[in-house]
């Protein structure tokens, strides 16, 4: 039961940080003027890149921290503070505007590679998602079964993101701008709570 609860918490955390529903309007803006097949290929590549990045963070992130002399409790606290800042931006509506502006600028500057940037990085596998993955993986270190479960959670979140991108037009029409804003604020509050828990866990480990 404990392992299931941890995996459920990992899934919810990643789902909130990646925020698939929020990808819909940004994906539409980044792929404006492209056909459905082209959009599907771009979405598939973006999701593949995002999964590879997050899976790499889950499997090799702890070794990198050790190589840099950073302890897991210290990273828990720093990562929790970073996630809290992202959560506050979600609640205040700053994150959506900033990501939309960044996506528009990236498309203008590098339209051929929008699957990698800005869709995979930083929208799906941004600093928040990488940090969350490292934090969760740190608690599962040394247990291949739990790490496999984390990879499964990452795969499910990325699969949901792919479906949202494919159905982006319909998602935007069904939910509308107002509902997307409300959902972002609600998810921001949930993420803030999880961020505080990460900070508490890190402080408890240090003490």
């Amino acid at each position: 039961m404990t392992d299931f609860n941890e995996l459920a918490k990992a899934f919810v955390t990643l789902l909130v940080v990646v925020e698939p529903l929020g990808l819909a309007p940004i994906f539409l803006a980044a792929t404006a003027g492209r056909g459905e097949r082209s959009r599907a290929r771009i979405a598939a590549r973006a999701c593949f890149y995002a999964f590879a990045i997050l899976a790499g963070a889950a499997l090799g992130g702890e070794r990198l921290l050790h190589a840099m002399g950073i302890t897991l409790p210290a990273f828990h606290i720093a990562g929790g503070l970073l996630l809290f800042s992202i959560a506050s931006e979600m609640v205040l509506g700053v994150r959506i505007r900033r990501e939309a502006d960044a996506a528009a600028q990236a498309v203008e500057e590098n339209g051929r590679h929008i699957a990698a940037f800005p869709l995979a990085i930083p929208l799906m596998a941004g600093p928040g998602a990488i940090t969350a993955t490292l934090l969760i993986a740190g608690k599962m270190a040394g247990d291949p079964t739990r790490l496999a479960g984390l990879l499964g959670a990452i795969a499910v979140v990325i699969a949901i993101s792919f479906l949202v991108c494919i159905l982006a037009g319909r998602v935007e029409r069904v939910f509308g701008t107002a509902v997307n804003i409300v959902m972002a604020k609600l998810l921001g509050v949930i993420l803030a709570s999880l961020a505080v828990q990460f900070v508490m866990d890190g402080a408890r480990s240090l003490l």
Side-chain angles (χ1 to χ4, degrees):
M1 182 62 69
T2 301
D3 289 345
F4 176 79
N5 289 338
E6 288 184 355
L7 289 176
K9 182 180 177 181
F11 172 75
V12 171
T13 301
L14 291 171
L15 188 66
V16 170
V17 176
V18 176
E19 195 186 355
L21 285 179
L23 293 172
I26 299 175
F27 179 80
L28 287 175
T31 59
R34 297 176 184 267
E36 290 186 5
R37 290 186 178 180
S38 178
R39 281 181 168 176
R41 288 195 296 268
I42 291 172
R45 286 199 298 268
C47 289
F48 173 78
Y49 297 150
F51 177 80
I53 293 168
L54 296 181
L59 296 176
E62 187 181 6
R63 295 190 186 92
L64 178 62
L65 292 179
H66 283 312
M68 298 176 66
I70 301 173
T71 64
L72 282 177
F75 190 81
H76 281 175
I77 295 175
L81 293 175
L82 173 61
L83 291 180
F84 187 85
S85 69
I86 293 173
S88 66
E89 290 181 353
M90 291 173 66
V91 173
L92 297 175
V94 176
R95 186 187 186 203
I96 295 175
R97 292 194 299 270
R98 189 188 66 227
E99 289 183 345
D101 293 341
Q105 182 179 357
V107 170
E108 290 180 3
E109 295 177 354
N110 201 12
R112 293 183 178 179
H113 307 290
I114 58 176
F117 180 81
L119 295 180
I121 305 172
L123 296 182
M124 295 184 194
I130 294 173
T131 300
T133 301
L134 284 169
L135 290 173
I136 298 167
K139 297 182 178 181
M140 301 180 176
D143 191 334
T145 302
R146 294 163 74 190
L147 282 176
L150 174 57
L151 293 178
I154 294 172
V156 173
V157 171
I158 296 300
I160 294 173
S161 300
F162 176 74
L163 289 177
V164 169
C165 289
I166 293 297
L167 304 174
R170 297 179 184 177
V171 170
E172 189 176 42
R173 285 194 297 270
V174 170
F175 288 96
T177 303
V179 175
N180 282 337
I181 293 174
V182 172
M183 287 294 294
K185 293 183 182 298
L186 178 60
L187 293 174
V189 173
I190 296 174
L191 181 59
S193 302
L194 292 170
V196 171
Q197 186 63 53
F198 280 130
V199 173
M200 292 173 58
D201 291 344
R204 188 181 297 114
S205 298
L206 285 175
L207 296 176

